[in-house]
PDB file of all heavy atoms in Angstrom:
ATOM      1  N   LYS U  24      50.668  24.493 193.336  1.00 98.00           N
ATOM      2  CA  LYS U  24      50.443  25.816 192.936  1.00 98.00           C
ATOM      3  C   LYS U  24      51.667  26.747 193.505  1.00 98.00           C
ATOM      4  O   LYS U  24      51.663  28.033 193.382  1.00 98.00           O
ATOM      5  CB  LYS U  24      49.243  26.405 193.581  1.00 98.00           C
ATOM      6  CG  LYS U  24      47.949  25.674 193.159  1.00 98.00           C
ATOM      7  CD  LYS U  24      47.700  25.905 191.647  1.00 98.00           C
ATOM      8  CE  LYS U  24      46.240  25.383 191.221  1.00 98.00           C
ATOM      9  NZ  LYS U  24      46.080  25.412 189.778  1.00 98.00           N
ATOM     10  N   THR U 157      33.672  27.952 197.970  1.00 98.00           N
ATOM     11  CA  THR U 157      32.991  28.646 197.028  1.00 98.00           C
ATOM     12  C   THR U 157      33.045  30.106 197.471  1.00 98.00           C
ATOM     13  O   THR U 157      32.735  30.429 198.559  1.00 98.00           O
ATOM     14  CB  THR U 157      31.427  28.231 197.052  1.00 98.00           C
ATOM     15  OG1 THR U 157      31.507  26.799 196.821  1.00 98.00           O
ATOM     16  CG2 THR U 157      30.660  28.980 195.959  1.00 98.00           C
ATOM     17  N   LEU U 162      33.514  36.998 197.260  1.00 97.00           N
ATOM     18  CA  LEU U 162      32.717  37.626 196.096  1.00 97.00           C
ATOM     19  C   LEU U 162      32.039  38.976 196.550  1.00 97.00           C
ATOM     20  O   LEU U 162      32.067  39.880 195.891  1.00 97.00           O
ATOM     21  CB  LEU U 162      31.631  36.581 195.754  1.00 97.00           C
ATOM     22  CG  LEU U 162      30.597  37.040 194.720  1.00 97.00           C
ATOM     23  CD1 LEU U 162      31.235  37.029 193.261  1.00 97.00           C
ATOM     24  CD2 LEU U 162      29.311  36.301 194.741  1.00 97.00           C
ATOM     25  N   PRO U 168      30.699  45.768 195.146  1.00 95.00           N
ATOM     26  CA  PRO U 168      30.749  47.057 195.746  1.00 95.00           C
ATOM     27  C   PRO U 168      29.455  47.714 195.867  1.00 95.00           C
ATOM     28  O   PRO U 168      28.624  47.445 194.893  1.00 95.00           O
ATOM     29  CB  PRO U 168      31.793  47.820 194.915  1.00 95.00           C
ATOM     30  CG  PRO U 168      31.694  47.251 193.601  1.00 95.00           C
ATOM     31  CD  PRO U 168      31.346  45.874 193.818  1.00 95.00           C
ATOM     32  N   VAL U 169      29.209  48.647 196.856  1.00 95.00           N
ATOM     33  CA  VAL U 169      28.141  49.444 197.103  1.00 95.00           C
ATOM     34  C   VAL U 169      26.784  48.542 196.881  1.00 95.00           C
ATOM     35  O   VAL U 169      25.623  49.059 196.464  1.00 95.00           O
ATOM     36  CB  VAL U 169      27.958  50.672 196.148  1.00 95.00           C
ATOM     37  CG1 VAL U 169      29.146  51.568 196.440  1.00 95.00           C
ATOM     38  CG2 VAL U 169      27.947  50.286 194.610  1.00 95.00           C
ATOM     39  N   THR U 170      26.725  47.325 197.139  1.00 97.00           N
ATOM     40  CA  THR U 170      25.665  46.370 197.005  1.00 97.00           C
ATOM     41  C   THR U 170      25.120  46.100 198.454  1.00 97.00           C
ATOM     42  O   THR U 170      25.868  45.641 199.307  1.00 97.00           O
ATOM     43  CB  THR U 170      25.883  45.157 196.280  1.00 97.00           C
ATOM     44  OG1 THR U 170      26.336  45.555 195.036  1.00 97.00           O
ATOM     45  CG2 THR U 170      24.941  44.184 196.267  1.00 97.00           C
ATOM     46  N   HIS U 296      16.448  21.531 191.502  1.00 91.00           N
ATOM     47  CA  HIS U 296      17.163  20.734 190.516  1.00 91.00           C
ATOM     48  C   HIS U 296      18.579  20.445 190.785  1.00 91.00           C
ATOM     49  O   HIS U 296      19.336  19.889 190.092  1.00 91.00           O
ATOM     50  CB  HIS U 296      17.005  21.254 189.085  1.00 91.00           C
ATOM     51  CG  HIS U 296      15.691  21.595 188.754  1.00 91.00           C
ATOM     52  ND1 HIS U 296      14.763  20.524 188.414  1.00 91.00           N
ATOM     53  CD2 HIS U 296      14.845  22.649 188.761  1.00 91.00           C
ATOM     54  CE1 HIS U 296      13.588  21.078 188.181  1.00 91.00           C
ATOM     55  NE2 HIS U 296      13.641  22.415 188.366  1.00 91.00           N
ATOM     56  N   ASP U 309      20.312  44.750 195.935  1.00 96.00           N
ATOM     57  CA  ASP U 309      19.697  45.978 195.483  1.00 96.00           C
ATOM     58  C   ASP U 309      20.297  46.418 194.141  1.00 96.00           C
ATOM     59  O   ASP U 309      19.846  47.275 193.505  1.00 96.00           O
ATOM     60  CB  ASP U 309      19.749  47.059 196.406  1.00 96.00           C
ATOM     61  CG  ASP U 309      21.243  47.527 196.679  1.00 96.00           C
ATOM     62  OD1 ASP U 309      22.183  46.797 196.444  1.00 96.00           O
ATOM     63  OD2 ASP U 309      21.363  48.684 197.157  1.00 96.00           O
ATOM     64  N   GLN U 312      19.635  42.484 191.503  1.00 95.00           N
ATOM     65  CA  GLN U 312      18.606  41.579 191.729  1.00 95.00           C
ATOM     66  C   GLN U 312      19.019  40.237 192.268  1.00 95.00           C
ATOM     67  O   GLN U 312      19.894  40.279 193.212  1.00 95.00           O
ATOM     68  CB  GLN U 312      17.689  41.397 190.556  1.00 95.00           C
ATOM     69  CG  GLN U 312      17.204  42.737 189.893  1.00 95.00           C
ATOM     70  CD  GLN U 312      16.329  43.540 190.776  1.00 95.00           C
ATOM     71  OE1 GLN U 312      15.683  43.108 191.714  1.00 95.00           O
ATOM     72  NE2 GLN U 312      16.498  44.915 190.702  1.00 95.00           N
ATOM     73  N   ASP U 313      18.682  39.210 191.780  1.00 96.00           N
ATOM     74  CA  ASP U 313      19.064  37.978 192.311  1.00 96.00           C
ATOM     75  C   ASP U 313      20.264  37.280 191.573  1.00 96.00           C
ATOM     76  O   ASP U 313      20.385  37.196 190.304  1.00 96.00           O
ATOM     77  CB  ASP U 313      17.909  36.800 192.081  1.00 96.00           C
ATOM     78  CG  ASP U 313      16.754  37.105 193.029  1.00 96.00           C
ATOM     79  OD1 ASP U 313      16.844  38.059 193.963  1.00 96.00           O
ATOM     80  OD2 ASP U 313      15.598  36.591 192.819  1.00 96.00           O
ATOM     81  N   VAL U 315      22.670  33.810 191.785  1.00 97.00           N
ATOM     82  CA  VAL U 315      22.846  32.478 192.418  1.00 97.00           C
ATOM     83  C   VAL U 315      24.099  31.896 192.171  1.00 97.00           C
ATOM     84  O   VAL U 315      24.704  32.033 191.037  1.00 97.00           O
ATOM     85  CB  VAL U 315      21.806  31.440 191.786  1.00 97.00           C
ATOM     86  CG1 VAL U 315      21.831  30.212 192.516  1.00 97.00           C
ATOM     87  CG2 VAL U 315      20.420  31.944 191.762  1.00 97.00           C
ATOM     88  N   ILE U 316      24.730  31.295 193.245  1.00 98.00           N
ATOM     89  CA  ILE U 316      26.011  30.641 193.008  1.00 98.00           C
ATOM     90  C   ILE U 316      25.866  29.245 193.446  1.00 98.00           C
ATOM     91  O   ILE U 316      25.308  28.951 194.539  1.00 98.00           O
ATOM     92  CB  ILE U 316      27.238  31.400 193.694  1.00 98.00           C
ATOM     93  CG1 ILE U 316      28.540  30.734 193.330  1.00 98.00           C
ATOM     94  CG2 ILE U 316      27.187  31.558 195.235  1.00 98.00           C
ATOM     95  CD1 ILE U 316      29.688  31.620 193.421  1.00 98.00           C
ATOM     96  N   ILE U 317      26.297  28.230 192.689  1.00 97.00           N
ATOM     97  CA  ILE U 317      26.185  26.843 192.853  1.00 97.00           C
ATOM     98  C   ILE U 317      27.497  26.163 192.971  1.00 97.00           C
ATOM     99  O   ILE U 317      28.323  26.372 192.098  1.00 97.00           O
ATOM    100  CB  ILE U 317      25.236  26.148 191.825  1.00 97.00           C
ATOM    101  CG1 ILE U 317      23.877  26.804 191.715  1.00 97.00           C
ATOM    102  CG2 ILE U 317      25.100  24.564 192.055  1.00 97.00           C
ATOM    103  CD1 ILE U 317      22.940  26.374 190.623  1.00 97.00           C
ATOM    104  N   GLY U 319      29.340  22.724 192.616  1.00 92.00           N
ATOM    105  CA  GLY U 319      28.937  21.462 191.999  1.00 92.00           C
ATOM    106  C   GLY U 319      29.322  20.231 192.795  1.00 92.00           C
ATOM    107  O   GLY U 319      28.612  19.235 192.722  1.00 92.00           O
ATOM    108  N   GLN U 325      37.904  21.392 198.096  1.00 96.00           N
ATOM    109  CA  GLN U 325      37.305  22.729 197.851  1.00 96.00           C
ATOM    110  C   GLN U 325      37.515  23.583 199.075  1.00 96.00           C
ATOM    111  O   GLN U 325      37.688  24.767 199.071  1.00 96.00           O
ATOM    112  CB  GLN U 325      35.848  22.497 197.698  1.00 96.00           C
ATOM    113  CG  GLN U 325      35.480  22.056 196.152  1.00 96.00           C
ATOM    114  CD  GLN U 325      35.852  20.608 195.948  1.00 96.00           C
ATOM    115  OE1 GLN U 325      35.970  19.827 196.760  1.00 96.00           O
ATOM    116  NE2 GLN U 325      36.113  20.387 194.537  1.00 96.00           N
ATOM    117  N   PHE U 328      40.969  24.841 199.196  1.00 98.00           N
ATOM    118  CA  PHE U 328      41.067  25.996 198.167  1.00 98.00           C
ATOM    119  C   PHE U 328      40.605  27.384 198.838  1.00 98.00           C
ATOM    120  O   PHE U 328      41.297  28.398 198.610  1.00 98.00           O
ATOM    121  CB  PHE U 328      40.229  25.724 196.904  1.00 98.00           C
ATOM    122  CG  PHE U 328      40.081  27.010 196.054  1.00 98.00           C
ATOM    123  CD1 PHE U 328      41.233  27.593 195.456  1.00 98.00           C
ATOM    124  CD2 PHE U 328      38.875  27.800 196.119  1.00 98.00           C
ATOM    125  CE1 PHE U 328      41.075  28.815 194.799  1.00 98.00           C
ATOM    126  CE2 PHE U 328      38.860  29.015 195.433  1.00 98.00           C
ATOM    127  CZ  PHE U 328      39.912  29.515 194.699  1.00 98.00           C
TER     128      PHE U 328
ATOM    129  N   LYS W  24      24.075  55.858 195.542  1.00 98.00           N
ATOM    130  CA  LYS W  24      25.198  55.249 196.264  1.00 98.00           C
ATOM    131  C   LYS W  24      26.369  56.150 196.565  1.00 98.00           C
ATOM    132  O   LYS W  24      27.392  55.849 196.977  1.00 98.00           O
ATOM    133  CB  LYS W  24      25.858  54.156 195.365  1.00 98.00           C
ATOM    134  CG  LYS W  24      24.751  52.974 195.036  1.00 98.00           C
ATOM    135  CD  LYS W  24      24.467  52.224 196.399  1.00 98.00           C
ATOM    136  CE  LYS W  24      23.554  51.012 195.968  1.00 98.00           C
ATOM    137  NZ  LYS W  24      23.258  50.260 197.220  1.00 98.00           N
ATOM    138  N   LEU W 162      35.129  38.174 189.683  1.00 97.00           N
ATOM    139  CA  LEU W 162      35.098  36.989 190.404  1.00 97.00           C
ATOM    140  C   LEU W 162      36.429  36.179 190.244  1.00 97.00           C
ATOM    141  O   LEU W 162      37.192  35.776 191.203  1.00 97.00           O
ATOM    142  CB  LEU W 162      33.915  36.068 190.236  1.00 97.00           C
ATOM    143  CG  LEU W 162      33.806  34.738 190.856  1.00 97.00           C
ATOM    144  CD1 LEU W 162      33.299  34.845 192.295  1.00 97.00           C
ATOM    145  CD2 LEU W 162      33.040  33.782 189.981  1.00 97.00           C
ATOM    146  N   PRO W 168      41.978  32.707 193.191  1.00 95.00           N
ATOM    147  CA  PRO W 168      43.417  32.779 192.946  1.00 95.00           C
ATOM    148  C   PRO W 168      43.890  31.410 192.587  1.00 95.00           C
ATOM    149  O   PRO W 168      43.321  30.449 192.947  1.00 95.00           O
ATOM    150  CB  PRO W 168      44.025  33.247 194.279  1.00 95.00           C
ATOM    151  CG  PRO W 168      43.046  32.924 195.365  1.00 95.00           C
ATOM    152  CD  PRO W 168      41.622  33.025 194.556  1.00 95.00           C
ATOM    153  N   VAL W 169      45.121  31.383 192.001  1.00 95.00           N
ATOM    154  CA  VAL W 169      45.708  30.134 191.550  1.00 95.00           C
ATOM    155  C   VAL W 169      44.797  29.101 190.939  1.00 95.00           C
ATOM    156  O   VAL W 169      44.940  27.879 191.171  1.00 95.00           O
ATOM    157  CB  VAL W 169      46.599  29.457 192.682  1.00 95.00           C
ATOM    158  CG1 VAL W 169      47.585  30.437 193.121  1.00 95.00           C
ATOM    159  CG2 VAL W 169      45.664  29.037 193.841  1.00 95.00           C
ATOM    160  N   THR W 170      43.787  29.584 190.300  1.00 97.00           N
ATOM    161  CA  THR W 170      42.729  28.598 189.710  1.00 97.00           C
ATOM    162  C   THR W 170      42.949  28.619 188.093  1.00 97.00           C
ATOM    163  O   THR W 170      42.958  29.679 187.712  1.00 97.00           O
ATOM    164  CB  THR W 170      41.305  29.055 190.191  1.00 97.00           C
ATOM    165  OG1 THR W 170      41.150  28.826 191.559  1.00 97.00           O
ATOM    166  CG2 THR W 170      40.160  28.203 189.368  1.00 97.00           C
ATOM    167  N   HIS W 296      16.724  24.433 183.639  1.00 91.00           N
ATOM    168  CA  HIS W 296      15.569  24.978 184.443  1.00 91.00           C
ATOM    169  C   HIS W 296      15.790  26.532 184.525  1.00 91.00           C
ATOM    170  O   HIS W 296      15.024  27.094 185.348  1.00 91.00           O
ATOM    171  CB  HIS W 296      15.586  24.448 185.810  1.00 91.00           C
ATOM    172  CG  HIS W 296      15.499  22.882 185.675  1.00 91.00           C
ATOM    173  ND1 HIS W 296      14.368  22.207 185.316  1.00 91.00           N
ATOM    174  CD2 HIS W 296      16.447  21.896 185.721  1.00 91.00           C
ATOM    175  CE1 HIS W 296      14.614  20.936 185.263  1.00 91.00           C
ATOM    176  NE2 HIS W 296      15.935  20.732 185.488  1.00 91.00           N
ATOM    177  N   ASP W 309      40.132  23.763 188.232  1.00 96.00           N
ATOM    178  CA  ASP W 309      40.864  22.762 188.822  1.00 96.00           C
ATOM    179  C   ASP W 309      40.970  22.885 190.345  1.00 96.00           C
ATOM    180  O   ASP W 309      41.590  21.937 191.067  1.00 96.00           O
ATOM    181  CB  ASP W 309      42.404  22.844 188.191  1.00 96.00           C
ATOM    182  CG  ASP W 309      43.150  24.090 188.735  1.00 96.00           C
ATOM    183  OD1 ASP W 309      42.437  25.111 189.040  1.00 96.00           O
ATOM    184  OD2 ASP W 309      44.312  24.068 188.701  1.00 96.00           O
ATOM    185  N   MET W 311      37.883  24.226 192.275  1.00 97.00           N
ATOM    186  CA  MET W 311      36.595  24.086 192.994  1.00 97.00           C
ATOM    187  C   MET W 311      35.758  23.194 192.142  1.00 97.00           C
ATOM    188  O   MET W 311      34.563  23.118 192.323  1.00 97.00           O
ATOM    189  CB  MET W 311      36.042  25.442 192.999  1.00 97.00           C
ATOM    190  CG  MET W 311      36.489  26.358 194.057  1.00 97.00           C
ATOM    191  SD  MET W 311      36.179  25.760 195.717  1.00 97.00           S
ATOM    192  CE  MET W 311      34.397  25.639 195.761  1.00 97.00           C
ATOM    193  N   GLN W 312      36.360  22.401 191.188  1.00 95.00           N
ATOM    194  CA  GLN W 312      35.443  21.609 190.278  1.00 95.00           C
ATOM    195  C   GLN W 312      34.566  22.573 189.527  1.00 95.00           C
ATOM    196  O   GLN W 312      34.918  23.672 189.091  1.00 95.00           O
ATOM    197  CB  GLN W 312      34.715  20.488 190.991  1.00 95.00           C
ATOM    198  CG  GLN W 312      35.633  19.570 191.777  1.00 95.00           C
ATOM    199  CD  GLN W 312      36.583  18.840 190.919  1.00 95.00           C
ATOM    200  OE1 GLN W 312      36.494  18.517 189.810  1.00 95.00           O
ATOM    201  NE2 GLN W 312      37.906  18.608 191.369  1.00 95.00           N
ATOM    202  N   ASP W 313      33.239  22.304 189.550  1.00 96.00           N
ATOM    203  CA  ASP W 313      32.232  23.193 188.820  1.00 96.00           C
ATOM    204  C   ASP W 313      31.695  24.188 189.692  1.00 96.00           C
ATOM    205  O   ASP W 313      31.156  23.836 190.804  1.00 96.00           O
ATOM    206  CB  ASP W 313      31.126  22.353 188.181  1.00 96.00           C
ATOM    207  CG  ASP W 313      31.600  21.438 187.084  1.00 96.00           C
ATOM    208  OD1 ASP W 313      32.820  21.622 186.650  1.00 96.00           O
ATOM    209  OD2 ASP W 313      30.953  20.553 186.659  1.00 96.00           O
ATOM    210  N   VAL W 315      28.871  27.388 189.310  1.00 97.00           N
ATOM    211  CA  VAL W 315      27.734  27.936 188.361  1.00 97.00           C
ATOM    212  C   VAL W 315      27.355  29.296 188.997  1.00 97.00           C
ATOM    213  O   VAL W 315      27.103  29.415 190.219  1.00 97.00           O
ATOM    214  CB  VAL W 315      26.534  27.084 188.296  1.00 97.00           C
ATOM    215  CG1 VAL W 315      25.589  27.676 187.332  1.00 97.00           C
ATOM    216  CG2 VAL W 315      26.885  25.753 187.960  1.00 97.00           C
ATOM    217  N   ILE W 316      27.307  30.368 188.103  1.00 98.00           N
ATOM    218  CA  ILE W 316      26.697  31.555 188.622  1.00 98.00           C
ATOM    219  C   ILE W 316      25.552  31.974 187.642  1.00 98.00           C
ATOM    220  O   ILE W 316      25.720  31.811 186.338  1.00 98.00           O
ATOM    221  CB  ILE W 316      27.743  32.708 188.699  1.00 98.00           C
ATOM    222  CG1 ILE W 316      27.308  33.954 189.419  1.00 98.00           C
ATOM    223  CG2 ILE W 316      28.404  32.964 187.423  1.00 98.00           C
ATOM    224  CD1 ILE W 316      28.272  34.754 190.101  1.00 98.00           C
ATOM    225  N   ILE W 317      24.462  32.253 188.334  1.00 97.00           N
ATOM    226  CA  ILE W 317      23.164  32.590 187.544  1.00 97.00           C
ATOM    227  C   ILE W 317      22.778  33.952 187.813  1.00 97.00           C
ATOM    228  O   ILE W 317      22.761  34.453 188.916  1.00 97.00           O
ATOM    229  CB  ILE W 317      22.083  31.592 187.986  1.00 97.00           C
ATOM    230  CG1 ILE W 317      22.459  30.205 187.720  1.00 97.00           C
ATOM    231  CG2 ILE W 317      20.809  31.971 187.178  1.00 97.00           C
ATOM    232  CD1 ILE W 317      21.480  29.074 188.320  1.00 97.00           C
ATOM    233  N   GLY W 319      19.789  36.371 187.771  1.00 92.00           N
ATOM    234  CA  GLY W 319      18.254  36.195 187.756  1.00 92.00           C
ATOM    235  C   GLY W 319      17.492  37.104 186.893  1.00 92.00           C
ATOM    236  O   GLY W 319      16.523  36.735 186.278  1.00 92.00           O
ATOM    237  N   GLN W 325      21.536  46.377 185.736  1.00 96.00           N
ATOM    238  CA  GLN W 325      22.622  45.431 185.962  1.00 96.00           C
ATOM    239  C   GLN W 325      23.920  45.764 185.334  1.00 96.00           C
ATOM    240  O   GLN W 325      25.030  45.603 185.889  1.00 96.00           O
ATOM    241  CB  GLN W 325      22.191  43.973 185.740  1.00 96.00           C
ATOM    242  CG  GLN W 325      21.203  43.412 186.734  1.00 96.00           C
ATOM    243  CD  GLN W 325      19.825  43.985 186.627  1.00 96.00           C
ATOM    244  OE1 GLN W 325      19.422  44.504 185.701  1.00 96.00           O
ATOM    245  NE2 GLN W 325      19.159  43.844 187.815  1.00 96.00           N
ATOM    246  N   PHE W 328      25.537  48.610 187.034  1.00 98.00           N
ATOM    247  CA  PHE W 328      26.161  48.160 188.300  1.00 98.00           C
ATOM    248  C   PHE W 328      27.586  47.565 187.910  1.00 98.00           C
ATOM    249  O   PHE W 328      28.531  47.840 188.679  1.00 98.00           O
ATOM    250  CB  PHE W 328      25.527  47.039 188.939  1.00 98.00           C
ATOM    251  CG  PHE W 328      26.335  46.391 190.048  1.00 98.00           C
ATOM    252  CD1 PHE W 328      26.568  46.994 191.285  1.00 98.00           C
ATOM    253  CD2 PHE W 328      26.808  45.057 189.807  1.00 98.00           C
ATOM    254  CE1 PHE W 328      27.470  46.481 192.069  1.00 98.00           C
ATOM    255  CE2 PHE W 328      27.672  44.518 190.688  1.00 98.00           C
ATOM    256  CZ  PHE W 328      28.092  45.266 191.946  1.00 98.00           C
TER     257      PHE W 328
END
Side-chain angles (χ1 to χ4, degrees):
Chain U
K24 299 294 187 181
T157 305
L162 172 80
V169 298
T170 295
H296 306 285
D309 68 337
Q312 306 298 329
D313 290 346
V315 185
I316 188 155
I317 300 173
Q325 283 72 23
F328 167 72
Chain W
K24 300 295 186 179
L162 172 81
V169 300
T170 295
H296 306 285
D309 68 336
M311 282 300 302
Q312 306 296 329
D313 291 345
V315 185
I316 189 154
I317 300 173
Q325 283 72 24
F328 167 72

